[in-house]
Amino acid sequence: MAKRPVALITGASTGFGAAIATRLADEGYDLILLARRLEKLQALAEQLPVSSHLIACDLREQEAVRAAIAAIPAEFADIDVLINNAGLALGLEPAHRADWQDWQQMIDTNCTALALMTRLILPGMVERQKGHLVMMGSIAGAYAYPGGNAYGATKAFVEQFARNLRADLLGTGIRVTNIEPGLVGGSEFSLVRFKGDVEKAATVYKGANALQPEDIAESVAWALKQPKHVNINSIEIMPVSQAHGPLAIHRKT
């Protein structure tokens, strides 16, 4: 019996990560599921029809991450797909009133942790001459909006990092895809952004018919299923209810 491919998903316990795990399990992937909350990872793994290896750690704790990756069991060690999904937005204040700790956490998670995970997994892919790196970017990396400040900048980093990886990996057979969602409900994204304010988080999606995590998971699965000579550089995906906004103009009264 042929060995099933292995996908490592960060931020796997809820939202995009859980939906991607469910979708890739349907595609026959064994899974390495990484997130901070072990109980949520366990609950997810129990629902999946494939083998799972669970890693409960905070991606900002670099030594713990290194140790966890080094300790992956042999049957999961040859990672075919890395889904760099973990990330967050904090606050929506203008830059001059933003909380520096919020900025620091976004940079540490969305940029530094993503880069470290890529650096840890990539050498094995290069050695095997196969693999697929999937980054979870955002339309915020391309389109500025009030209050987006550091969050948008972190997602611009993800976009440019993915492009530069493609340049470095030419000739290795490894593919790199940046997924760039717009407005997506059904996750903890806005609840985290507004630090547990349920009412404020709900207003973001009210009447919007937003995308759902399953839509993002489907875009990931589609990119992975393309023929090996095809690389999907990026997928920008918005709900029909969302569009590019007009340029802002401040007018004196």
Side-chain angles (χ1 to χ4, degrees), residues 146-170:
N149 44 68
Y151 173 69
T154 66
K155 292 304 184 177
F157 168 86
V158 173
E159 178 184 28
Q160 194 62 20
F161 186 48
R163 289 177 176 176
N164 279 275
L165 286 168
R166 281 280 295 127
D168 282 350
L169 296 170
L170 185 65

Side-chain angles (χ1 to χ4, degrees), residues 82-241:
L82 171 61
I83 311 287
N84 272 317
N85 168 69
L88 77 168
L90 292 170
L92 204 57
E93 294 292 321
H96 55 286
R97 293 204 300 269
D99 185 323
W100 168 251
Q101 295 302 319
D102 287 350
W103 281 15
Q104 187 72 64
Q105 187 174 348
M106 287 187 282
I107 293 167
D108 288 347
T109 306
N110 300 356
C111 300
T112 306
L114 177 145
L116 175 62
M117 184 60 66
T118 302
R119 183 62 183 81
L120 292 174
I121 302 304
L122 189 55
M125 290 183 172
V126 171
E127 183 179 351
R128 295 185 295 275
Q129 291 286 289
K130 66 173 184 175
H132 200 147
L133 303 172
V134 178
M135 310 296 176
M136 195 56 63
S138 169
I139 63 168
Y143 309 114
Y145 61 88
N149 44 68
Y151 173 69
T154 66
K155 292 304 184 177
F157 168 86
V158 173
E159 178 184 28
Q160 194 62 20
F161 186 48
R163 289 177 176 176
N164 279 275
L165 286 168
R166 281 280 295 127
D168 282 350
L169 296 170
L170 185 65
T172 66
I174 296 167
R175 302 189 289 179
V176 185
T177 300
N178 187 35
I179 308 292
E180 304 167 22
L183 185 68
V184 186
S187 76
E188 297 179 348
F189 180 83
S190 287
L191 193 62
V192 171
R193 170 168 245 169
F194 298 122
K195 301 182 179 178
D197 189 327
V198 176
E199 185 176 345
K200 195 171 184 179
T203 62
V204 174
Y205 311 102
K206 187 176 180 180
N209 195 20
L211 298 172
Q212 295 299 305
E214 292 74 17
D215 300 318
I216 307 308
E218 190 61 35
S219 70
V220 170
W222 178 80
L224 295 178
K225 287 194 292 186
Q226 297 307 300
K228 294 302 181 183
H229 69 286
V230 175
N231 189 88
I232 305 301
N233 293 332
S234 62
I235 300 176
E236 182 181 292
I237 174 171
M238 295 181 183
V240 174
S241 61

Side-chain angles (χ1 to χ4, degrees), residues 20-93:
I20 293 167
T22 301
R23 186 68 181 82
L24 294 191
D26 290 343
E27 293 292 329
Y29 283 82
D30 284 338
L31 300 170
I32 302 171
L33 305 175
L34 187 155
R36 291 177 295 110
R37 295 171 289 187
L38 179 59
E39 67 282 0
K40 287 191 174 291
L41 290 176
Q42 290 171 332
L44 174 62
E46 288 173 2
Q47 300 171 17
L48 300 176
V50 295
S51 298
S52 299
H53 173 65
L54 309 184
I55 300 175
C57 72
D58 188 330
L59 281 174
R60 294 175 295 164
E61 298 175 0
Q62 295 190 19
E63 291 311 309
V65 171
R66 291 178 185 274
I69 297 304
I72 291 174
E75 61 267 31
F76 290 92
D78 290 347
I79 296 168
D80 298 280
V81 176
L82 171 61
I83 311 287
N84 272 317
N85 168 69
L88 77 168
L90 292 170
L92 204 57
E93 294 292 321

